[in-house]
Amino acid sequence: MFPLYRAITFTASPLIDLYLKRRRRRGREDNDRFQERLGFTSLPRPEGRLAWFHAASIGEAASILSLINLILKNYPQIHILVTTGTVTSARLLQERLPGRAFHQYVPIDRASAVRRFLKHWQPDAAFWVESELWPHLIYETKKSGCPLILLNGRISDSSFRMWGYFGSFAKKLLSAFSLCLAQSERDAARLTKLGAPIVKYLGNLKYDSAELGAEPKEYGKLVIAIGQRPRWLAASTHPGEEKIIMEVHSRLKKQYPDLLTIIAPRHPVRGEEIAEALKKSGVKVSLRSRGEAPESEIYIADTIGELGIFYRLARIIFMGGSLVKHGGQNPLEPARLDTAIITGPHHKNFADIYAQMAAQGAVTIIDNARQLATVVSRLLGDDELAEELSHKALEFTEEKSGIAESYLQEIKGYL
């Protein structure tokens, strides 16, 4: 199966190049650093041991920051290379990676790019995060003699069905990993069934994600600008959800005329597009990326690295990707900041986390816009209820802390 995959990717090279050009035009690739996607770099390899962590995007990258900090604290001679594939994750990591850790874009899954990358960096150990099973990356890394470890391994329902059709290929890919640490017992069972040789379940690394920061000066400016206005935040929204949030806003305004609805899209590059669409409904919209003040009805928080500010400002948080069939977003970051959390019905990507939170009364699950408006209205009008739900969410995250240390104990032999 692998020779077939290699032949397909080689034959499809012109189409892949066209796809990457389109991504660059749309701002989905970093033009200034695009050569990194082809395996080139301007950075030298640091001396000594180098551990390579690969995470797909912003969520996976954020989940390993606590583990990275632990490694650097316990192993003062080691350096850490973190690769991701998205512009937003690169900007986040540039702000949040500690000393002796640095970011590069992952090379596209083409043999020549991967070999170029590995020849330069020569990692001593490679740690894949969640479900990034790119065949060339895995094959060439294993071939170089570098051990591979899967961290916080996750196999979604759709991935499990897909890999089921290519059982021998899946087994070959997973057999390249010396160790797979799954984020749930279900994921551990699936990894084992697909052919991973050594699988262990320690818990979900996301439970130990570091608390999001907030730049004091910018936070203070917004606190003054918003004043006592009632507000709520729709965080990490996806296409199709902003229209629903607009409907909720219209319902809530009847009871709260001075309401401020904040929308933080999952992909900030969509800010202008969202603003133009909402303005057609006759509402006043302002954008954070333009430096505009939140004096409007709807404020688009379309910047990178500022979610910590808006979680602290709003305290009532709807997690996006859940009113459309995306699969939901991670609720642990706002939970860690003592907020009342709401999610829609489509949260299968974080089903285990939401199920445990729901069992402890730490999240409210709604089915549609009407129910969302009802819950937000109740929380805006009942400070005691909002505080109770916020504390339950915070307590939930505190009970789950300490998993990064367990991961460190399992992987220390590779460091």
Side-chain angles (χ1 to χ4, degrees), residues 40 80 109 158 160 202 282 298 309 338 343 354 388 403 413:
F40 297 100
I80 291 179
D109 202 45
S158 57
F160 188 57
L202 300 180
I298 295 181
I309 290 177
D338 196 15
T343 184
Y354 277 114
E388 178 186 345
I403 289 174

Side-chain angles (χ1 to χ4, degrees), residues 364-410:
T364 303
I365 301 174
I366 51 91
D367 291 325
N368 49 49
R370 180 181 55 79
Q371 290 182 9
L372 178 57
T374 299
V375 172
V376 174
S377 176
R378 188 186 309 140
L379 292 173
L380 287 171
D382 189 338
D383 289 340
E384 287 187 8
L385 176 60
E387 188 171 331
E388 178 186 345
L389 294 178
S390 299
H391 288 348
K392 284 183 178 179
L394 177 60
E395 288 169 1
F396 175 80
T397 62
E398 290 174 343
E399 289 171 5
K400 296 288 186 179
S401 63
I403 289 174
E405 183 65 46
S406 300
Y407 271 74
L408 177 60
Q409 294 304 312
E410 283 291 335

Side-chain angles (χ1 to χ4, degrees), residues 174-194:
L174 290 171
S175 66
F177 288 90
S178 303
L179 174 65
C180 293
L181 301 177
Q183 67 175 246
S184 72
E185 291 180 338
R186 179 182 61 185
D187 291 307
R190 287 179 172 180
L191 286 164
T192 300
K193 188 168 184 178
L194 290 174

Side-chain angles (χ1 to χ4, degrees), residues 330-379:
N330 179 12
L332 296 174
E333 287 181 340
R336 199 166 281 110
L337 292 173
D338 196 15
T339 61
I341 298 168
I342 309 164
T343 184
H346 306 294
H347 52 258
K348 65 179 183 180
N349 291 346
F350 301 89
D352 292 335
I353 293 174
Y354 277 114
Q356 292 182 58
M357 290 183 72
Q360 296 188 28
V363 66
T364 303
I365 301 174
I366 51 91
D367 291 325
N368 49 49
R370 180 181 55 79
Q371 290 182 9
L372 178 57
T374 299
V375 172
V376 174
S377 176
R378 188 186 309 140
L379 292 173

